Amino acid sequence: MSSAGTVLIQGGTVVTSKRSFVADVRIEGETIIEVGPSLSDSTADQRIDASGLLILPGGVDPHVHLSRRPSLPKEACSGDDFLSGSKGALAGGVTTVGEIASPEADEGVLDTIDRVESDVRSKSLVDVFVHPVLESASRKLEQISKLPAREQPSLKVFLMNPSLAENPAGLKDAVRRAADAGVTVLFHCEALSELSAARDALLKQEMTSLRYLPESRPTSAEVRATEQAIAFCRETGATGYIVHISCAEALGPCAAARVEGLPIHTETRPEFLLLSSAHHRGEDAKLHVIIPPLREDADREALWRALVDRSIDLVATDDAAFWSKAEKLAAPDSFEALRMGISGLELLRPLLFSEGVVKGRISVERFVEATAAAAARIFGLYPKKGTIAVGSDADLVLWDPKETRTIAASDLFSRTGFTVYDGWHVTGWPRMTLRRGEIVYREGEVLASPGSGILIPRRLPSTEDE
Ligand SMILES: [Zn+2]
């Protein structure tokens, strides 16, 4: 019965989004075939001792940017790509990512997926699903209804994109096509009208320094666009997913929409839980440029509460590390010339475990839900990804809940050469990561080869339980 490639992980504590229990996990090939206490080890080809460790499902981060954004200058952006970004992901216990892929030239959403798939095949170490970006509401919209057959049923819109904001009828048509096909729509929520008004007011007073980044992208713009996104979903029947909620006021419309029965999913990012707008006025302001900007401590506290009560479903990184430290620092001190984005994949789970679980804000099961299971459910990957069960992909992380680290940019796989968490002390760190049964990271070393990650097929989202 035993064949080459059976692995037995022994003596750890298995954690899913529902419960934690001491168990062994048996893997054959790429798949988990048995989970239970004290499994027989006579047939195992390889044994891994997990005593004292947690066994977590591989992380699923549904919001990253590892393929190059066509609008960025090719010669200037020496940050991360699928290779370095996915190395960091594996080192941080994330085995699947959702790539937000912008179109090149006149690509439709299917063309974009094809192009990104070839990038994944040559470079990625993690499994990938793709949310193609709809940049124009008048171009190749017929491709939207074909996304489910391509097994990638989601797309992304940036509501402040002028070609969408100035064509609301076209945008609604696109969202309706998505709704009719069962395609989930991810919304970046900032309203162009509010951004323009804020910018004009600041320009009039010659207040263009980066220190005014928060004022240039006010919470009112986020709230307004969140309400627009929800209205589109209400009118068309689309399932909506609100990315990187940054402020307390944006939570209200989402909660109200759910009470109404609308399928609205919600995400925040680690920075909105852990950092506040003072960083936009500090010494390292240029390194902290992200969109939306950092908000106030009251917003952070509201987002933590929302994570606890599940009005926020999950935490994703928005990893978008296009610019190196030197390139970020060379930017002018102006919100008119933003070099936005930071790396996040390697530290997502260590930060959320330490600040959330160790500090008693969330349970370890909720941590697993917010960093793996929820995204897998929402995007049609569950239970293949996001849990530890018979038949699931053997994406597993052996996690030392006691290990303490001081974060240093020089220890990370990101090519950007900096992290906004430099010097933070964390408790809890991955020891080993398996992706579809293969040991891809162990004790500081990434072992997977480029292109071993795959474009992972998805079904339409289900509510299937464990
Ligand atoms: Zn993003």
Side-chain angles (χ1 to χ4, degrees), residues 63-65 69 100 156 158 188 243-244 318 320:
H63 184 167
V64 306
H65 303 259
R69 215 172 257 179
I100 312 276
K156 169 97 181 267
F158 292 78
H188 176 121
V243 301
H244 52 47
D318 196 7

